Amino acid sequence: GGVLRLVLGDQLSDGLSALTDLDPARDVVLMAEVRDEATYVGHHKQKIALIFAAMRAFALRLEARDIVVRYVRIDDPDNTHSIAGELERALSDQPFEAVVMTECGEWRLAEALSAFARSSGVPCDIRHDDRFICSHDRFRRWSSGKSQLRMEFFYREMRKETGILLDDGQPVGGKWNYDAENRKGLTKGVRPPARLRTPPDAVAVEAIADVERLFPDHFGTTDAFGWPTTAAQAEAVLADFLSEVLPRFGDWQDAMALGEPWMWHGLISTSLNLGLLDALDVCRRADAEFRAGRAPLNAVEGFIRQILGWREFVRGIYWLKVPEYRQRNFLDADRDLPWFFWSGETDMACVADVVATTRDNAYAHHIQRLMVTGNLAMLLGVHPDPVDDWYLSVYADAYEWVEMPNTRGMATFADGGIMGSKPYAASGAYIDRMSDYCGSCRYDVKAKTGDNACPFNRLYWGFLERNRARLRDNVRLAMPYRTLDNFGPERRAALLAEAEAARTLLGAVVRPG
Ligand code: FAD
Ligand code: DLZ
Ligand code: SF4
C-alpha cells in the first residue's frame, strides 16, 4: 500500500509538509471531523463551522487534483470521534506502508499523536510545520542562555533573517519599532471603513447547519458568519485590507469604539491559523505596500511586528514552556469567571460591547481582548483555567499555542513574566482614553470608590495591594507601588476592601475545590 497522510483541521495549506511528496496513485489523505476536537472546550459555533467548512473545501480541492481523500464527517455513523481513533480505523480498513503527518499545533493533541506513533505498528513520520517563519530549533537557539525573553529582540532577529523592512541590514527608517506612534485614541468624528466580509458559500452554509444541529448548546450565534473558508476567499480579504485599510492600521491600533468590531484590524488571524494564508507572504506583501509608497511606515511596521514578531514569538514560548506553562498561576488567582463573560449581562458598557461582538462574530480585536476582558479577569483574580477555557472557546482564531501565551502571559501575568515584563493592569482611565465606551456607561469612570464607581477603578489598587508580595519588586511597577505606599496602611486596607466589594458585586466568587 501507499502512505496515509493526516491533515488536521488547522493544516489546510497546499504546501503542508505532510503533503509535499504525495503520490496520487498510491497515497490517501485522511481528514476527520471528530467530537474530541470539537468539544475539548465548548468552542463557539462559528469556530466549529469555520473549521468544518474549510476542511471540506480543502478536501474538495485535493479531490479535484485526483488525490484520494478519506474524509470522515462529524455525523458518519462509524466515526470514532478522535484523531488517533480515525488513524487506527483507516489502518485497519486498508494496509499502508507508513503514516505521514505534520506536527500538530497543540501539546494536548501532539501527545495523543505521539502515543499513536509509538503503538501503531506502522512507521510514522511526524514532520516539522514549516508554515511558521521561526522553527522550534531556531527559537531554542535564540532563547538559550537568556535570562529574559523579550519579543522586541526576537523580532529584530526575524527582521534580519527575512530581510523584511530592511535596507542593507538596517531597519528601514532608522528605527526597529514605531509603536510610540500607534497609541492614539480615536479622533472624534472618524469612523472605521466598511469591511469586506465573506458570506457563507454553499459548503459553509451546510457546515453551519450541521453545527446548529449537533452543537446547539455551544456559545455564540452563526447569523453573522463572515469568515473566509478557502484560500481564495482569504486572499480577497487580505487584498482588501492591504489596499483599503492598512494605511491607517497604525494610527488607531489600540483604539476601541462602541459597536465597531473591526476598527482598522486585518481580520486575518482565522485564515493564518488555518493555513489559508501564509505568514511570511503576508509580511512581504505589507512590506511591498510601504515600498510602493501606498502605506506609511508606522502602519506597515506595526502590522508586520504583530505577525513576524508576536505571532512567531508566542508560538516559540508555547513550545518552549509547555506542558509546565499550562499549570502557571503566578498570582494565585482563585476566583471563578463571572457569568456575564458568557451572557454579556453587565452594566459595564465596555465589557457588554466586547462580549456582544464575541458572541456575534467569534472575534474581538486585540485591545478589547487585552485591556477589557483580560484586564478585568486579572484584576478580579480569576483562576487561569477558566480564563483560558473562555478565550480558547469564544474566538474563531483560538488554538492553544497562540491563545495560552496571550492569556496566561500577556493579559493576566499568570506566567509570572515570561511573555511580558509587567502586568498590563489598568484602571478605567485607560479604557476612557482609548474608547468612547464610558460616555454610555452607567458607572462613573471618574469615581474611584463606591457602588457607582467604574469597577476597573475599584479593583485596580486592591489588585496591587493584594499582590504586593508577588509584584512589589517588579521595577516596572515601582511607581504605582510608591503611590500605594504613600497612601499609608489605613487607606491601603480601605482599597483592599473596596476591591473585595467590587469582586462581590461582579460575582467573582472563590472557585470550588
Ligand atoms: P490584527 O490586529 O490585524 O493583527 C494582524 C495579525 O497579527 C493577526 O491576524 C495575528 O495573526 C497576529 N497577531 C497580532 N497580535 C498577536 C498576538 N498577541 N499574538 C499572536 N499573534 C498576533 N490571536 C490568535 O490568533 N488566536 C488567539 O487565540 C488569540 N488569543 C488572544 C488572547 C488574548 C488575551 C490576547 C490579548 C490576544 C490574543 N490573540 C490571539 C492575539 C490577537 O488579539 C489576535 O491575533 C487578533 O485580534 C486577530 O485579529 P486580526 O487578524 O484582525 O489582527
Ligand atoms: C479546533 C478543531 C475542531 C473544532 N475540530 C477539528 C476536527 O474535527 N478535526 C480536526 O482535524 N481538527 C479540528 N480542530 C483543530 C485541531 O484541534 C487542531 O489541529 C489542534 O488543536 C492543533 O492545533
Ligand atoms: Fe468600562 Fe468603567 Fe468605562 Fe464603564 S466606566 S465603560 S466599566 S471603563
Side-chain angles (χ1 to χ4, degrees), residues 239-253:
D240 183 65
F241 168 77
L242 290 174
S243 65
E244 307 300 322
V245 186
L246 174 65
R248 316 221 67 172
F249 175 87
D251 297 348
W252 298 299
Q253 201 181 332

Side-chain angles (χ1 to χ4, degrees), residues 241 249 264-269 272-273 303 306-307 310-311 314 363-366 369-370 391 395 397-399 402-403 406-407 410-411:
F241 168 77
F249 175 87
W264 284 263
H265 291 278
L267 316 186
I268 56 168
S269 53
L272 282 169
N273 296 351
F303 178 71
Q306 305 312 312
I307 300 171
W310 282 112
R311 186 170 185 271
V314 303
Y363 179 86
H365 62 74
H366 187 71
R369 298 188 203 194
L370 184 65
Y391 279 99
Y395 293 117
D397 58 22
Y399 301 86
V402 52
E403 172 275 328
N406 272 298
T407 305
M410 195 176 323

Side-chain angles (χ1 to χ4, degrees), residues 179-244:
D179 206 22
E181 294 167 35
N182 296 347
R183 288 185 184 142
K184 294 180 210 144
L186 192 55
T187 312
K188 229 183 162 56
V190 176
R191 281 346 270 177
R195 299 305 294 272
L196 180 68
R197 302 239 65 212
T198 313
D201 59 16
V203 173
V205 165
E206 193 183 339
I208 291 168
D210 286 346
V211 169
E212 289 288 1
R213 181 166 49 87
L214 295 167
F215 306 97
D217 302 332
H218 281 225
F219 174 77
T221 59
T222 54
D223 307 337
F225 185 100
W227 301 111
T229 55
T230 68
Q233 291 168 3
E235 169 56 34
V237 171
L238 173 65
D240 183 65
F241 168 77
L242 290 174
S243 65
E244 307 300 322

Side-chain angles (χ1 to χ4, degrees), residues 8-10 32-34 37-38 43 51-52 55 83 105-106 108:
L8 292 168
D10 57 354
E33 301 170 2
V34 295
E37 295 310 308
H43 305 285
I51 292 169
F52 286 2
M55 287 174 73
I83 298 292
E106 292 191 3
R108 169 192 60 81

Side-chain angles (χ1 to χ4, degrees), residues 75-86:
D75 52 5
D76 184 328
D78 296 327
N79 195 328
T80 61
H81 289 297
S82 76
I83 298 292
E86 284 312 297

Side-chain angles (χ1 to χ4, degrees), residues 219 256 258-259 341 344 348-361 363-365 367-374 390-391 395 437:
F219 174 77
M256 300 177 278
L258 187 72
F341 274 77
M348 304 174 79
C350 54
V351 177
D353 186 59
V354 177
V355 175
T357 176
T358 301
R359 179 194 60 224
D360 296 345
N361 302 309
Y363 179 86
H365 62 74
I367 219 69
Q368 293 176 317
R369 298 188 203 194
L370 184 65
M371 297 310 292
V372 178
T373 42
W390 189 79
Y391 279 99
Y395 293 117
Y437 285 138

Side-chain angles (χ1 to χ4, degrees), residues 321-392:
K321 301 291 180 185
V322 82
E324 182 263 346
Y325 201 81
R326 306 167 102 241
Q327 311 297 329
R328 291 224 166 202
N329 183 8
F330 178 73
L331 300 177
D332 293 326
D334 65 352
R335 301 300 166 105
D336 241 336
L337 193 72
W339 181 245
F340 61 74
F341 274 77
W342 300 102
S343 71
E345 287 164 9
T346 168
D347 290 337
M348 304 174 79
C350 54
V351 177
D353 186 59
V354 177
V355 175
T357 176
T358 301
R359 179 194 60 224
D360 296 345
N361 302 309
Y363 179 86
H365 62 74
H366 187 71
I367 219 69
Q368 293 176 317
R369 298 188 203 194
L370 184 65
M371 297 310 292
V372 178
T373 42
N375 184 28
L376 182 61
M378 176 170 68
L379 294 179
L380 286 170
V382 180
H383 190 280
D385 287 352
V387 179
D388 268 326
D389 183 80
W390 189 79
Y391 279 99
L392 198 52

